[in-house]
Amino acid sequence: MLPSSTIDTIAAKLTSKIPPLYMMSKIALFSNLLILLFSSHIFAATKAIPDPPSFTADSFYLVDFESGRVLAEKDPDKVVEPASITKLMTAYLVDKALEAGDIKHSDLVTISEKAWRMQGSKMFVEVGKQVSVDDLMKGLVIQSGNDASVALAEHVAGSESAFVGYMNHQAKVLGMKNTQFQNATGWPAEGHYSTARDIAILTAAIIREYPQTYQLYREKEYTYNGISQLNRNRLLWRDDTVDGVKTGHTEAAGYCLVASALQDDMRLISVVLGTSSDKARTDSSQSLLNYGFRFFETHRLYKANEVLKTARLWRGEKEQVDMGVGRDIYVTIPRGRYKELDAAMEIEGKISAPIAKGQKLGQVNISLDNKVIVTESIIATHAVAEGGFFSRTLDSIKLMFN
C-alpha cells in the first residue's frame, strides 16, 4: 500500500491536469489510482516468459542460430540413435570435398552394388549406372536416400568405412562432444550415436558455411529415374518460415526431426528426437519454434571490425588506436526488452605500441536486469607499429607524469 502522502502527491498531479468541471473527489481518484496500479501490475506480469512446451520425446533442443542462446531443452546431451539425421554430416562432408576441389558437382559416380543394395529410404539408383554428384546430393537431402549416401561416401573417400573416419574427425572439429558415427546413412549400428545439442551444432555449420546447398533442404519433392518422392519434413507444407532441415526414423530411434525457421531476420534451430509418430515430431517441432518466436527476439548489437571506441596509444607511430569486436555480436532476449539492455566497456589503462590487428585490448559486457548476458573481447581493428625514437621517448616522459 502506498503511503497517504504519496497518494496525495500523485492525486495532486493528476487533478491539476483535469478541468474543474470534471474534477473527481479524492476518494474516487484514489480508487482509480488503485485500479491503474493494479492494471500496471497485471501488464508487467504478462511480460513473464512461460515455461517451454511440454511433450513426449527422448530429448529436444531449441537454440537461436546467431546468438547461440538456448531457449528450451530436455536432456540435450542424452546419447541416442540419430537415424537418417546422420545424413547431415554426410552432406556436410560432400560440401567440404567440393569446396576443396577434391570432387566436382558434375562428377559422374558409378553406383556400387553395396550402394544399390541399401535398404530403407532410397533414391532408386541402379547398380553400374553413373549418376552426377548433384543428383546424388538431391537424392540424399530431399529423398533421404541411403543408396545416394553410400555412393557419395564412396566417391569422396573410396569406401564408406574410410568416409566414416572423416565423419568422426569432423564431429570433433565442430565440437560435437557426444557423437560417434559407424556409417554414412544412420542405419542402426552399435556405437552409432549423437545428441540433440551436437545435431544442432552440425545444423548451424551447414546453414552458415554452405547456404547454397542448404537451399536443397527446403525442396518439397524430387524426381529421379521417373520416381517422384516427397520430402518427409511435413513442416515445409505447414509453415512458410521453415526452410529445412532433416527427418530421421528407425524403430530404436523413434521419429526425429531437425527443423530451422527464419522469421524477421531471426533464425531458430529445433531438434526433436525420439517421438512416437511423424505427427508427433512435426507438432512438437512446431510448438518449439512458435515458442521461440513468440517470446524472444534477436538483435545484432555490433558488426565485426566496426569501430566502437578510439583510445590513446602510447609510443606508436599513431597516437590513437581504433577498437571493435572480431565478429558480429548478437543477443537473444525476451521480446520488448531491447531498450533495457546496458553495455559497458572495460579498456586497458595504458595501451602501448606495437599493437597487432586483433589484439585484445579490453572487453564489452552486455547486461539485462543487472546480469551480464554477453561478454566479448574488444580488439584492435588495425595494427599500429612503434613510433620513432623521438616519439617513443617523448611518450615515455609524458607517461611518467600521466
Side-chain angles (χ1 to χ4, degrees), residues 220-397:
K220 296 178 180 178
E221 183 178 2
Y222 179 57
T223 300
Y224 178 78
N225 204 18
I227 302 173
S228 295
Q229 297 186 70
L230 298 178
N231 193 318
R232 292 168 175 80
N233 183 358
R234 306 306 175 198
L235 281 180
L236 295 174
W237 281 266
R238 181 188 293 189
D239 187 341
D240 289 340
T241 68
V242 173
D243 54 14
V245 289
K246 190 76 188 70
T247 62
H249 171 250
T250 64
E251 185 175 343
Y255 289 83
C256 310
L257 175 59
V258 187
S260 184
L262 181 64
Q263 190 176 112
D264 298 328
D265 296 326
M266 179 181 181
R267 178 177 289 283
L268 298 178
I269 295 172
S270 67
V271 182
V272 175
L273 304 177
T275 65
S276 60
S277 67
D278 183 9
K279 184 178 185 301
R281 70 183 174 190
T282 303
D283 290 346
S284 300
S285 299
Q286 182 78 81
S287 67
L288 281 178
L289 293 171
N290 288 346
Y291 171 78
F293 287 126
R294 171 64 182 84
F295 294 105
F296 296 91
E297 57 185 323
T298 296
H299 296 271
R300 184 173 66 179
L301 300 181
Y302 306 114
K303 292 176 61 176
N305 297 314
E306 177 184 15
V307 177
L308 304 180
K309 185 178 179 62
T310 299
R312 176 67 163 95
L313 179 64
W314 301 94
R315 303 187 181 96
E317 63 179 7
K318 297 180 180 178
E319 291 189 352
Q320 294 182 324
V321 59
D322 294 334
M323 295 178 286
V325 291
R327 62 186 181 96
D328 290 356
I329 304 301
Y330 290 83
V331 63
T332 301
I333 55 175
R335 260 191 195 282
R337 304 199 62 189
Y338 178 67
K339 294 183 179 179
E340 299 174 43
L341 291 174
D342 180 61
M345 292 188 184
E346 300 173 1
I347 307 300
E348 296 178 4
K350 298 291 189 296
I351 305 173
S352 296
I355 296 292
K357 181 178 181 180
Q359 180 176 329
K360 182 180 178 181
L361 300 176
Q363 68 182 32
V364 59
N365 298 314
I366 309 300
S367 301
L368 183 66
D369 295 331
N370 296 317
K371 179 181 178 181
V372 175
I373 57 174
V374 176
T375 296
E376 186 67 22
S377 296
I378 296 290
I379 63 171
T381 60
H382 57 92
V384 183
E386 280 188 326
F389 174 79
F390 178 76
S391 63
R392 295 200 314 272
T393 302
L394 183 60
D395 277 356
S396 296
I397 294 171

Side-chain angles (χ1 to χ4, degrees), residues 174-193:
L174 290 173
M176 299 168 67
K177 298 180 180 179
N178 297 293
T179 294
Q180 181 174 281
F181 298 111
Q182 297 293 342
N183 55 60
T185 61
W187 195 257
E190 185 177 353
H192 189 96
Y193 56 81

Side-chain angles (χ1 to χ4, degrees), residues 195-237:
T195 67
R197 190 191 307 274
D198 282 0
I199 291 167
I201 290 172
L202 172 58
T203 302
I206 290 171
I207 296 171
R208 181 175 295 109
E209 296 179 37
Y210 301 107
Q212 290 303 314
T213 298
Y214 182 66
Q215 297 301 312
L216 291 178
Y217 290 90
R218 70 190 308 166
E219 295 296 324
K220 296 178 180 178
E221 183 178 2
Y222 179 57
T223 300
Y224 178 78
N225 204 18
I227 302 173
S228 295
Q229 297 186 70
L230 298 178
N231 193 318
R232 292 168 175 80
N233 183 358
R234 306 306 175 198
L235 281 180
L236 295 174
W237 281 266

